[in-house]
Amino acid sequence: MANVGDQLRAMISTNRARLSLVGVGSLLVPLVMTEAAWAQASVTRLGKSDAGTCYQEAFSANGEDLSACNRALKDRSTTARDRRATFVNRGILMNRLGEYDRAIEDFTEALDGDPELGEALLNRGNSLFLQKNFSSAMIDYEAALNASFNKPEVAWYNIGLTHRALKDDDAARIAFEKSLQERPGFTPAVEQLRILDISGEPDRLPTDEEAA
């Protein structure tokens, strides 16, 4: 039976609009189920600038075009805050393209400017999870909980999935329950607890509406 990491990779190759990892995205942080990892966060930069276009590309379920992000990062008029947001958003696109090392570089660049940027921590954790570096992914997910990140239910959910990948279902159950404490009725966590109760494997990913 395929493990959690293998299932996630299969989902990325067959359905680029959904992913089990919940990711959040921008400095206004709309929850977006792009396919980087359990939960993905795209940093919000609105307007008609290249940084804004980069955000829209990351927010889109099928976005893969890096050009606006690249232009924004080359533009000397892009503010430091927009640069950090753009690194996060380009990292999400890199994850979507399977360029996990490059995604990690972008998330790390954003964190160099703001070590407490929870979206960057969460999404770098997603990259590491996709590389099956579960222990390092856990460190980033836990750091996101202590950082400027306003979706703790998502971080706990990703932590639970990481425990499942590490075959520690007891710890996974605790994490999913904490996710529900943060957001009662959070469907992905409810479903994972149901799966644990029947000792099955994760069988689907949360929809955008469930994670919103």
Side-chain angles (χ1 to χ4, degrees), residues 5-185:
D6 290 339
Q7 288 180 338
L8 182 58
R9 285 181 175 77
M11 289 299 293
I12 290 176
S13 63
T14 60
N15 183 355
R16 292 201 173 271
R18 293 288 181 271
L19 261 188
S20 174
L21 291 183
V22 178
V24 189
S26 135
L27 294 181
L28 286 181
V29 189
L31 193 66
V32 58
M33 296 305 294
T34 52
E35 55 193 303
W38 299 152
Q40 194 119 316
S42 58
V43 175
T44 302
R45 305 307 304 140
L46 302 178
K48 295 183 178 180
S49 66
D50 285 325
T53 302
C54 176
Y55 161 73
Q56 295 294 340
E57 192 72 12
F59 188 84
S60 169
N62 297 312
E64 294 183 346
D65 187 354
L66 302 173
S67 58
C69 306
N70 294 337
R71 288 194 302 270
L73 292 171
K74 290 179 181 178
D75 186 349
R76 293 187 178 184
S77 69
T78 302
T79 66
R81 184 172 183 268
D82 281 358
R83 283 183 61 82
R84 291 193 296 272
T86 300
F87 275 120
V88 172
N89 292 330
R90 190 174 72 171
I92 288 172
L93 295 173
M94 291 291 188
N95 268 346
R96 194 172 293 161
L97 293 166
E99 298 284 348
Y100 307 130
D101 286 335
R102 295 176 66 189
I104 289 170
E105 290 175 2
D106 275 359
F107 298 134
T108 301
E109 188 73 31
L111 288 164
D112 286 344
D114 181 1
E116 295 296 306
L117 186 56
E119 293 82 9
L121 288 163
L122 185 82
N123 284 294
R124 190 173 67 179
N126 290 343
S127 302
L128 292 163
F129 186 103
L130 289 162
Q131 293 181 324
K132 297 189 177 183
N133 187 348
F134 302 124
S135 59
S136 294
M138 186 75 76
I139 290 171
D140 274 353
Y141 292 147
E142 291 176 345
L145 285 171
N146 297 317
S148 55
F149 183 59
N150 66 352
K151 293 284 186 179
E153 74 276 10
V154 167
W156 278 117
Y157 177 72
N158 288 1
I159 288 169
L161 290 175
T162 305
H163 281 306
R164 289 216 64 200
L166 292 169
K167 309 300 183 184
D168 189 345
D169 284 355
D170 289 338
R173 181 180 296 277
I174 291 170
F176 294 136
E177 289 173 347
K178 288 185 176 180
S179 177
L180 289 171
Q181 289 173 11
E182 297 289 347
R183 181 176 169 182

